[in-house]
Amino acid sequence: IPGGTWPCPDGFEPRVCASVQFFGVGAMEAFYGCYLLESCKPGFKHRTYIGFTMDPRRRIRQHNGEISAGAWKTKRWRPWRMVLCIWGFPHKVAALQFEHAWQHPAISRHVRGEAARLSFVRTWRRGKFVRQREVQGVKQNLQVLLKMLSLSPYCRMPLRLH
């Protein structure tokens, strides 16, 4: 509607409706997800990567070098396989905050209390900043994820795993 706004479909709350994209007929909810990758390179099976995406198929192709752009940090440990994808975030910012908390469980304010109970989550101080050792391996990253899903605000979100 030029100069106006789209009406929310029946059953959508205004905050959810903000993430809906209209394409003429009907509507499609925007996809915001976080994913866990595992390296398939011999000798580097413990190597994992956590990221955010709006298109998981395209993103794994970028990480594996089939499509250029956007995956320089994982180039060294190619090829990768996507272990899981979690989606259902109400908006992009929520997914990006979840990604950061998953990558830095000992530092994120929503997770750090419970993450401290996991023996493999290590921190140290450098000046006035707290640093965290990267969580390695699928098993440990899954433990962090399960812990996160039991905590607020994530336990209240309609998140789904694939």
Side-chain angles (χ1 to χ4, degrees), residues 62-115:
Q62 287 177 316
H63 282 291
N64 285 327
E66 298 171 28
I67 301 174
S68 62
W72 63 270
K73 192 172 181 182
T74 58
K75 187 176 183 177
R76 187 170 159 190
W77 299 283
R78 287 178 183 161
W80 294 90
R81 76 177 186 94
M82 193 172 286
V83 176
L84 69 85
C85 187
I86 182 166
W87 77 99
F89 296 96
H91 46 79
K92 185 177 181 178
V93 171
L96 289 167
Q97 288 173 337
F98 185 90
E99 174 200 23
H100 184 269
W102 194 6
Q103 291 170 337
H104 308 95
I107 298 170
S108 171
R109 70 184 172 98
H110 294 298
V111 185
R112 66 181 168 220
E114 287 295 315

Side-chain angles (χ1 to χ4, degrees), residues 1-111:
I1 301 174
T5 59
W6 287 96
C8 287
D10 292 339
F12 283 96
E13 296 177 32
R15 75 183 202 310
V16 174
C17 184
S19 68
V20 176
Q21 301 170 352
F22 290 88
F23 298 101
V25 180
M28 185 178 118
E29 205 171 323
F31 182 96
Y32 304 114
C34 294
Y35 58 90
L36 174 63
L37 298 181
E38 177 184 37
S39 176
C40 296
K41 188 173 182 176
F44 292 95
K45 291 283 187 181
H46 68 282
R47 196 66 161 150
T48 55
Y49 179 82
I50 295 167
F52 161 83
T53 187
M54 294 176 70
D55 185 349
R57 287 187 186 113
R58 178 176 170 77
R59 194 69 183 121
I60 189 67
R61 292 181 67 210
Q62 287 177 316
H63 282 291
N64 285 327
E66 298 171 28
I67 301 174
S68 62
W72 63 270
K73 192 172 181 182
T74 58
K75 187 176 183 177
R76 187 170 159 190
W77 299 283
R78 287 178 183 161
W80 294 90
R81 76 177 186 94
M82 193 172 286
V83 176
L84 69 85
C85 187
I86 182 166
W87 77 99
F89 296 96
H91 46 79
K92 185 177 181 178
V93 171
L96 289 167
Q97 288 173 337
F98 185 90
E99 174 200 23
H100 184 269
W102 194 6
Q103 291 170 337
H104 308 95
I107 298 170
S108 171
R109 70 184 172 98
H110 294 298
V111 185

